[in-house]
Amino acid sequence: MNTASTEKDRYVVIGNPIAHSKSPLIHAAFAAQTGQQMDYQHLLAPLDGFAASVNAFRAQGGLGANVTVPFKLEACALATRLTPRAAAAGAVNTLQFSDTQILGDNTDGIGLVTDIVRNAGVTLHGKRILLLGAGGAARGAVLPLLEQLPAELVIANRTVARARELQQLATARMPAVPVSAYGIEAVPGHFDVVINATSASLQDAVPALPAGALDARTLAYDMMYGTQPTAFLRFAAQHGAQCRDGLGMLVEQAAEAFALWRGVRPDTAGVLQQLRAGLQSAAG
Ligand code: ATR
């Protein structure tokens, strides 16, 4: 009988659906690289059974979990303590269990920033940034983006009222950086960095940006990724922008969770390369 998994510290990624998640592959690579004895599996939770699934896993000795769609808000409610960035996001993608508490963190936004600043080599300090979207993905990104002290953050959303709500939250957290809110078609001027945090790519749709918002000087970033460039990145490439999808963000948010759990920071470059090669071969 193979008892290896019972001897290792146990972690899961919880979602519904979950079988597609690359997190077990990423964390297995990090564990092998750093010599950490951990076992990381998929955990499918029923749509009405997130808390019960987490509690059962914790009772079996699980030490932590990543949380994905559609449970990030429930994870935030379940946590007994939140990191400031999770509180700012109102969403949790990483749980850490101890005897006395459930710590909730959000590593998505810092994963995005690390991928832009370190992997893509694009400084955010002093830049004009446009964040498209005002849902959960955008909320997670706001505080880590503001911590880079850009010259300005413009939040644009199809439903302007949601962009305004997020602007108010952002201004309350970081008054030093000017933050404004617009409808997507009304954003003013040119941007150094445009981040697509909408789910428009799922419908193969492009947020309706005005002419001149992005050009060859712009980094266009889509939080989504796939075997083919998203509609937003195809649009950005037509305007000459430097394009980057969210695969690096996926790996960097995982590295941040791994560091929180294990106290060791894995090297991400090789894992990102491996995933990229996998996507390219799937694309044929
Ligand atoms: P997530 O957690 O992925 O952010 P969400 O909270 O449902 O999901 O938010 C989806 C975001 O994508 C919203 O900002 C949504 O705009 P609305 O607030 O106006 O609904 C945006 N979105 C979805 N489809 C879009 C499209 N076709 N064009 C532009 N924005 C879109």
Side-chain angles (χ1 to χ4, degrees), residues 39 70 85 130 134 190 277:
D39 177 70
R85 61 195 181 195
L130 173 60
H190 170 266

Side-chain angles (χ1 to χ4, degrees), residues 135-208:
R139 282 176 70 122
V142 164
L143 190 59
L145 287 172
L146 291 177
E147 282 169 348
Q148 296 296 305
L149 299 178
E152 186 183 355
L153 176 66
V154 174
I155 301 171
N157 196 43
R158 187 173 59 180
T159 311
V160 191
R162 292 184 82 197
R164 291 209 186 97
E165 271 173 43
L166 192 50
Q167 174 206 10
Q168 278 163 14
L169 280 172
T171 304
R173 297 264 169 190
M174 185 72 78
V177 179
V179 182
S180 53
Y182 290 89
I184 293 173
E185 64 298 330
V187 295
H190 170 266
F191 295 90
D192 302 302
V193 178
V194 179
I195 299 162
N196 185 20
T198 74
S199 51
S201 300
L202 293 177
Q203 306 135 32
D204 208 31
V206 183

Side-chain angles (χ1 to χ4, degrees), residues 199-260:
S199 51
S201 300
L202 293 177
Q203 306 135 32
D204 208 31
V206 183
L209 282 171
L214 54 74
D215 64 15
R217 297 166 291 169
T218 305
L219 170 68
Y221 195 104
D222 201 320
M223 288 194 188
M224 303 222 165
Y225 65 87
T227 53
Q228 304 296 332
T230 65
F232 168 71
L233 290 185
R234 294 197 303 272
F235 165 83
Q238 282 162 13
H239 291 78
Q242 179 189 343
C243 293
R244 193 165 178 90
D245 70 11
L247 196 64
M249 175 179 171
L250 175 76
V251 175
E252 296 299 342
Q253 65 74 30
E256 199 70 22
F258 189 91
L260 171 81

